[in-house]
Amino acid sequence: VVEMGCGYGTFTLPVAQRISGVLTTFDIDPAMIERTRQRAAQAGVSNVLFVVDDVFANGFGDEAGSADACLLFNILHCEQPVTLLAEAARVVRPASFVHVIHWRYDPATPRGPSMGIRPRPEQIMEWARMAGLSASGPVLVLPPWHYGIRFQRSVASGQ
């Protein structure tokens, strides 16, 4: 599994605890990587590979079709969401999934980016379509502040 943007490890650690393989997490900020590394060590989580890198500039660095899943959690308010989704589509195996979580488009949500850059689910679905992904199921409500969408890379996709 590959993850873009570990942040404080909020999602990294629970996911790593639930998978049997390795979770490779990327973040451009060395401080975020170090904080998540410390939290993983404290929790006894040893199946995380930490990479300081700019995925927008360098991609995930893995071969095309090499990952079972890609996690894009609270990151698609970035400047190049279609580029990020296309890289996620490239790195996952055909028929594998790209999992997206984002803050609800609701000014009452106490966290997350400003409403001016916060994407609605419909916008993420359009970006994903442009990147060669299709929604695999409905938009999920993830209380209290998030929603989730699972996208699938087409088996026939040349990504």
Side-chain angles (χ1 to χ4, degrees):
V1 175
V2 294
E3 175 190 40
M4 168 58 182
C6 65
Y8 296 105
T10 302
F11 298 104
T12 308
L13 300 182
V15 171
Q17 290 170 329
R18 287 170 176 78
I19 65 171
S20 60
V22 173
L23 188 152
T24 303
T25 190
F26 294 80
D27 205 297
I28 197 168
D29 185 344
M32 293 293 99
I33 289 285
E34 186 54 35
R35 176 69 177 125
T36 301
R37 185 189 322 269
Q38 290 172 2
R39 290 187 64 212
Q42 291 169 351
V45 175
S46 61
N47 62 330
V48 180
L49 176 63
F50 301 93
V51 180
V52 177
D53 204 353
D54 181 350
V55 171
F56 289 102
N58 304 316
F60 284 109
D62 293 331
E63 290 181 39
S66 62
D68 291 323
C70 181
L71 312 177
L72 303 177
F73 294 170
N74 292 339
I75 195 78
L76 288 177
H77 56 281
C78 63
E79 292 179 9
Q80 301 173 46
V82 176
T83 300
L84 184 54
L85 284 158
E87 176 60 8
R90 183 197 69 80
V91 77
V92 297
R93 289 176 176 72
S96 292
F97 298 101
V98 174
H99 301 276
V100 171
I101 291 177
H102 214 286
W103 288 280
R104 291 185 321 198
Y105 191 85
D106 178 353
T109 302
R111 298 181 182 184
S114 71
M115 295 306 292
I117 63 171
R118 191 180 304 195
R120 296 176 186 265
E122 303 80 30
Q123 182 64 65
I124 290 177
M125 292 175 83
E126 176 61 18
W127 291 334
R129 186 196 60 73
M130 294 167 59
L133 296 165
S134 58
S136 176
V139 174
L140 303 172
V141 176
L142 304 173
W145 300 306
H146 295 91
Y147 63 88
I149 310 170
R150 182 172 73 167
F151 295 100
Q152 188 168 27
R153 175 182 166 190
S154 168
V155 173
S157 176
Q159 302 281 324

mmCIF file with all atom_site columns, all heavy atoms in Angstrom, residues 4 6 19 31 46 58 71 78 105 121 124 131 134 144 159:
data_model
loop_
_atom_site.group_PDB
_atom_site.id
_atom_site.type_symbol
_atom_site.label_atom_id
_atom_site.label_alt_id
_atom_site.label_comp_id
_atom_site.label_asym_id
_atom_site.label_entity_id
_atom_site.label_seq_id
_atom_site.pdbx_PDB_ins_code
_atom_site.Cartn_x
_atom_site.Cartn_y
_atom_site.Cartn_z
_atom_site.occupancy
_atom_site.B_iso_or_equiv
_atom_site.pdbx_formal_charge
_atom_site.auth_seq_id
_atom_site.auth_comp_id
_atom_site.auth_asym_id
_atom_site.auth_atom_id
_atom_site.pdbx_PDB_model_num
ATOM 1   N N   . MET A 1 4   ? -0.017  8.913  0.219   1.00 0.00 ? 4   MET A N   1
ATOM 2   C CA  . MET A 1 4   ? 0.505   10.253 -0.047  1.00 0.00 ? 4   MET A CA  1
ATOM 3   C C   . MET A 1 4   ? 0.190   11.137 1.135   1.00 0.00 ? 4   MET A C   1
ATOM 4   O O   . MET A 1 4   ? -0.984  11.332 1.471   1.00 0.00 ? 4   MET A O   1
ATOM 5   C CB  . MET A 1 4   ? -0.142  10.800 -1.312  1.00 0.00 ? 4   MET A CB  1
ATOM 6   C CG  . MET A 1 4   ? 0.098   12.271 -1.554  1.00 0.00 ? 4   MET A CG  1
ATOM 7   S SD  . MET A 1 4   ? 1.840   12.664 -1.640  1.00 0.00 ? 4   MET A SD  1
ATOM 8   C CE  . MET A 1 4   ? 1.738   14.416 -1.872  1.00 0.00 ? 4   MET A CE  1
ATOM 9   N N   . CYS A 1 6   ? 1.655   11.525 4.944   1.00 0.00 ? 6   CYS A N   1
ATOM 10  C CA  . CYS A 1 6   ? 1.351   10.873 6.223   1.00 0.00 ? 6   CYS A CA  1
ATOM 11  C C   . CYS A 1 6   ? 0.903   11.852 7.285   1.00 0.00 ? 6   CYS A C   1
ATOM 12  O O   . CYS A 1 6   ? 0.201   11.464 8.219   1.00 0.00 ? 6   CYS A O   1
ATOM 13  C CB  . CYS A 1 6   ? 2.550   10.081 6.727   1.00 0.00 ? 6   CYS A CB  1
ATOM 14  S SG  . CYS A 1 6   ? 4.007   11.066 7.145   1.00 0.00 ? 6   CYS A SG  1
ATOM 15  N N   . ILE A 1 19  ? -3.057  -4.240 7.811   1.00 0.00 ? 19  ILE A N   1
ATOM 16  C CA  . ILE A 1 19  ? -2.623  -4.919 6.592   1.00 0.00 ? 19  ILE A CA  1
ATOM 17  C C   . ILE A 1 19  ? -1.496  -5.886 6.916   1.00 0.00 ? 19  ILE A C   1
ATOM 18  O O   . ILE A 1 19  ? -0.808  -5.748 7.926   1.00 0.00 ? 19  ILE A O   1
ATOM 19  C CB  . ILE A 1 19  ? -2.187  -3.926 5.491   1.00 0.00 ? 19  ILE A CB  1
ATOM 20  C CG1 . ILE A 1 19  ? -0.947  -3.131 5.904   1.00 0.00 ? 19  ILE A CG1 1
ATOM 21  C CG2 . ILE A 1 19  ? -3.342  -2.991 5.125   1.00 0.00 ? 19  ILE A CG2 1
ATOM 22  C CD1 . ILE A 1 19  ? -0.346  -2.294 4.796   1.00 0.00 ? 19  ILE A CD1 1
ATOM 23  N N   . ALA A 1 31  ? 9.634   16.737 8.964   1.00 0.00 ? 31  ALA A N   1
ATOM 24  C CA  . ALA A 1 31  ? 9.106   16.750 10.334  1.00 0.00 ? 31  ALA A CA  1
ATOM 25  C C   . ALA A 1 31  ? 7.883   15.851 10.462  1.00 0.00 ? 31  ALA A C   1
ATOM 26  O O   . ALA A 1 31  ? 7.700   15.185 11.497  1.00 0.00 ? 31  ALA A O   1
ATOM 27  C CB  . ALA A 1 31  ? 8.773   18.185 10.760  1.00 0.00 ? 31  ALA A CB  1
ATOM 28  N N   . SER A 1 46  ? 5.686   -1.818 12.818  1.00 0.00 ? 46  SER A N   1
ATOM 29  C CA  . SER A 1 46  ? 6.977   -1.944 12.142  1.00 0.00 ? 46  SER A CA  1
ATOM 30  C C   . SER A 1 46  ? 6.872   -2.184 10.635  1.00 0.00 ? 46  SER A C   1
ATOM 31  O O   . SER A 1 46  ? 7.895   -2.398 9.987   1.00 0.00 ? 46  SER A O   1
ATOM 32  C CB  . SER A 1 46  ? 7.777   -3.081 12.779  1.00 0.00 ? 46  SER A CB  1
ATOM 33  O OG  . SER A 1 46  ? 7.074   -4.304 12.640  1.00 0.00 ? 46  SER A OG  1
ATOM 34  N N   . ASN A 1 58  ? 8.291   13.656 -8.380  1.00 0.00 ? 58  ASN A N   1
ATOM 35  C CA  . ASN A 1 58  ? 8.977   12.378 -8.608  1.00 0.00 ? 58  ASN A CA  1
ATOM 36  C C   . ASN A 1 58  ? 8.073   11.159 -8.667  1.00 0.00 ? 58  ASN A C   1
ATOM 37  O O   . ASN A 1 58  ? 8.559   10.052 -8.852  1.00 0.00 ? 58  ASN A O   1
ATOM 38  C CB  . ASN A 1 58  ? 10.027  12.171 -7.506  1.00 0.00 ? 58  ASN A CB  1
ATOM 39  C CG  . ASN A 1 58  ? 10.995  13.323 -7.429  1.00 0.00 ? 58  ASN A CG  1
ATOM 40  O OD1 . ASN A 1 58  ? 11.481  13.805 -8.447  1.00 0.00 ? 58  ASN A OD1 1
ATOM 41  N ND2 . ASN A 1 58  ? 11.242  13.815 -6.227  1.00 0.00 ? 58  ASN A ND2 1
ATOM 42  N N   . LEU A 1 71  ? -3.574  5.366  -0.923  1.00 0.00 ? 71  LEU A N   1
ATOM 43  C CA  . LEU A 1 71  ? -4.367  6.154  0.015   1.00 0.00 ? 71  LEU A CA  1
ATOM 44  C C   . LEU A 1 71  ? -4.106  7.640  -0.208  1.00 0.00 ? 71  LEU A C   1
ATOM 45  O O   . LEU A 1 71  ? -2.965  8.091  -0.125  1.00 0.00 ? 71  LEU A O   1
ATOM 46  C CB  . LEU A 1 71  ? -3.995  5.792  1.458   1.00 0.00 ? 71  LEU A CB  1
ATOM 47  C CG  . LEU A 1 71  ? -3.926  4.306  1.797   1.00 0.00 ? 71  LEU A CG  1
ATOM 48  C CD1 . LEU A 1 71  ? -3.473  4.116  3.241   1.00 0.00 ? 71  LEU A CD1 1
ATOM 49  C CD2 . LEU A 1 71  ? -5.258  3.630  1.540   1.00 0.00 ? 71  LEU A CD2 1
ATOM 50  N N   . CYS A 1 78  ? -5.025  19.976 -2.847  1.00 0.00 ? 78  CYS A N   1
ATOM 51  C CA  . CYS A 1 78  ? -3.732  20.411 -3.376  1.00 0.00 ? 78  CYS A CA  1
ATOM 52  C C   . CYS A 1 78  ? -3.899  21.140 -4.709  1.00 0.00 ? 78  CYS A C   1
ATOM 53  O O   . CYS A 1 78  ? -4.978  21.161 -5.289  1.00 0.00 ? 78  CYS A O   1
ATOM 54  C CB  . CYS A 1 78  ? -2.807  19.210 -3.536  1.00 0.00 ? 78  CYS A CB  1
ATOM 55  S SG  . CYS A 1 78  ? -3.406  17.985 -4.737  1.00 0.00 ? 78  CYS A SG  1
ATOM 56  N N   . TYR A 1 105 ? -17.540 19.057 2.720   1.00 0.00 ? 105 TYR A N   1
ATOM 57  C CA  . TYR A 1 105 ? -17.701 20.421 2.221   1.00 0.00 ? 105 TYR A CA  1
ATOM 58  C C   . TYR A 1 105 ? -18.806 21.074 3.032   1.00 0.00 ? 105 TYR A C   1
ATOM 59  O O   . TYR A 1 105 ? -19.969 21.097 2.653   1.00 0.00 ? 105 TYR A O   1
ATOM 60  C CB  . TYR A 1 105 ? -18.042 20.410 0.723   1.00 0.00 ? 105 TYR A CB  1
ATOM 61  C CG  . TYR A 1 105 ? -17.952 21.778 0.101   1.00 0.00 ? 105 TYR A CG  1
ATOM 62  C CD1 . TYR A 1 105 ? -16.729 22.258 -0.360  1.00 0.00 ? 105 TYR A CD1 1
ATOM 63  C CD2 . TYR A 1 105 ? -19.060 22.587 0.020   1.00 0.00 ? 105 TYR A CD2 1
ATOM 64  C CE1 . TYR A 1 105 ? -16.632 23.521 -0.908  1.00 0.00 ? 105 TYR A CE1 1
ATOM 65  C CE2 . TYR A 1 105 ? -18.978 23.864 -0.521  1.00 0.00 ? 105 TYR A CE2 1
ATOM 66  C CZ  . TYR A 1 105 ? -17.763 24.325 -0.981  1.00 0.00 ? 105 TYR A CZ  1
ATOM 67  O OH  . TYR A 1 105 ? -17.657 25.583 -1.522  1.00 0.00 ? 105 TYR A OH  1
ATOM 68  N N   . PRO A 1 121 ? -17.373 16.147 -3.089  1.00 0.00 ? 121 PRO A N   1
ATOM 69  C CA  . PRO A 1 121 ? -17.241 14.792 -3.625  1.00 0.00 ? 121 PRO A CA  1
ATOM 70  C C   . PRO A 1 121 ? -17.387 14.734 -5.149  1.00 0.00 ? 121 PRO A C   1
ATOM 71  O O   . PRO A 1 121 ? -16.636 14.018 -5.820  1.00 0.00 ? 121 PRO A O   1
ATOM 72  C CB  . PRO A 1 121 ? -18.359 14.011 -2.936  1.00 0.00 ? 121 PRO A CB  1
ATOM 73  C CG  . PRO A 1 121 ? -18.639 14.759 -1.683  1.00 0.00 ? 121 PRO A CG  1
ATOM 74  C CD  . PRO A 1 121 ? -18.370 16.206 -2.002  1.00 0.00 ? 121 PRO A CD  1
ATOM 75  N N   . ILE A 1 124 ? -14.136 15.680 -6.822  1.00 0.00 ? 124 ILE A N   1
ATOM 76  C CA  . ILE A 1 124 ? -13.137 14.607 -6.743  1.00 0.00 ? 124 ILE A CA  1
ATOM 77  C C   . ILE A 1 124 ? -13.486 13.500 -7.737  1.00 0.00 ? 124 ILE A C   1
ATOM 78  O O   . ILE A 1 124 ? -12.602 12.951 -8.402  1.00 0.00 ? 124 ILE A O   1
ATOM 79  C CB  . ILE A 1 124 ? -13.004 14.074 -5.308  1.00 0.00 ? 124 ILE A CB  1
ATOM 80  C CG1 . ILE A 1 124 ? -12.345 15.147 -4.423  1.00 0.00 ? 124 ILE A CG1 1
ATOM 81  C CG2 . ILE A 1 124 ? -12.201 12.768 -5.278  1.00 0.00 ? 124 ILE A CG2 1
ATOM 82  C CD1 . ILE A 1 124 ? -12.216 14.771 -2.967  1.00 0.00 ? 124 ILE A CD1 1
ATOM 83  N N   . ALA A 1 131 ? -8.393  11.154 -14.486 1.00 0.00 ? 131 ALA A N   1
ATOM 84  C CA  . ALA A 1 131 ? -7.150  10.431 -14.200 1.00 0.00 ? 131 ALA A CA  1
ATOM 85  C C   . ALA A 1 131 ? -7.236  8.940  -14.535 1.00 0.00 ? 131 ALA A C   1
ATOM 86  O O   . ALA A 1 131 ? -6.288  8.200  -14.303 1.00 0.00 ? 131 ALA A O   1
ATOM 87  C CB  . ALA A 1 131 ? -6.787  10.601 -12.723 1.00 0.00 ? 131 ALA A CB  1
ATOM 88  N N   . SER A 1 134 ? -12.490 5.076  -11.847 1.00 0.00 ? 134 SER A N   1
ATOM 89  C CA  . SER A 1 134 ? -13.943 5.129  -11.753 1.00 0.00 ? 134 SER A CA  1
ATOM 90  C C   . SER A 1 134 ? -14.359 4.796  -10.326 1.00 0.00 ? 134 SER A C   1
ATOM 91  O O   . SER A 1 134 ? -13.723 3.983  -9.658  1.00 0.00 ? 134 SER A O   1
ATOM 92  C CB  . SER A 1 134 ? -14.604 4.168  -12.746 1.00 0.00 ? 134 SER A CB  1
ATOM 93  O OG  . SER A 1 134 ? -14.163 2.854  -12.514 1.00 0.00 ? 134 SER A OG  1
ATOM 94  N N   . PRO A 1 144 ? -17.072 12.128 12.232  1.00 0.00 ? 144 PRO A N   1
ATOM 95  C CA  . PRO A 1 144 ? -17.944 13.291 12.185  1.00 0.00 ? 144 PRO A CA  1
ATOM 96  C C   . PRO A 1 144 ? -17.609 14.292 11.077  1.00 0.00 ? 144 PRO A C   1
ATOM 97  O O   . PRO A 1 144 ? -18.446 15.130 10.758  1.00 0.00 ? 144 PRO A O   1
ATOM 98  C CB  . PRO A 1 144 ? -17.715 13.938 13.552  1.00 0.00 ? 144 PRO A CB  1
ATOM 99  C CG  . PRO A 1 144 ? -16.293 13.615 13.890  1.00 0.00 ? 144 PRO A CG  1
ATOM 100 C CD  . PRO A 1 144 ? -16.051 12.250 13.291  1.00 0.00 ? 144 PRO A CD  1
ATOM 101 N N   . GLN A 1 159 ? -2.769  3.331  -17.945 1.00 0.00 ? 159 GLN A N   1
ATOM 102 C CA  . GLN A 1 159 ? -2.079  4.208  -17.008 1.00 0.00 ? 159 GLN A CA  1
ATOM 103 C C   . GLN A 1 159 ? -0.768  3.630  -16.590 1.00 0.00 ? 159 GLN A C   1
ATOM 104 O O   . GLN A 1 159 ? -0.603  2.490  -16.346 1.00 0.00 ? 159 GLN A O   1
ATOM 105 C CB  . GLN A 1 159 ? -2.948  4.423  -15.768 1.00 0.00 ? 159 GLN A CB  1
ATOM 106 C CG  . GLN A 1 159 ? -4.301  4.998  -16.053 1.00 0.00 ? 159 GLN A CG  1
ATOM 107 C CD  . GLN A 1 159 ? -4.279  6.487  -16.287 1.00 0.00 ? 159 GLN A CD  1
ATOM 108 O OE1 . GLN A 1 159 ? -3.544  7.207  -15.680 1.00 0.00 ? 159 GLN A OE1 1
ATOM 109 N NE2 . GLN A 1 159 ? -5.062  6.929  -17.244 1.00 0.00 ? 159 GLN A NE2 1
#
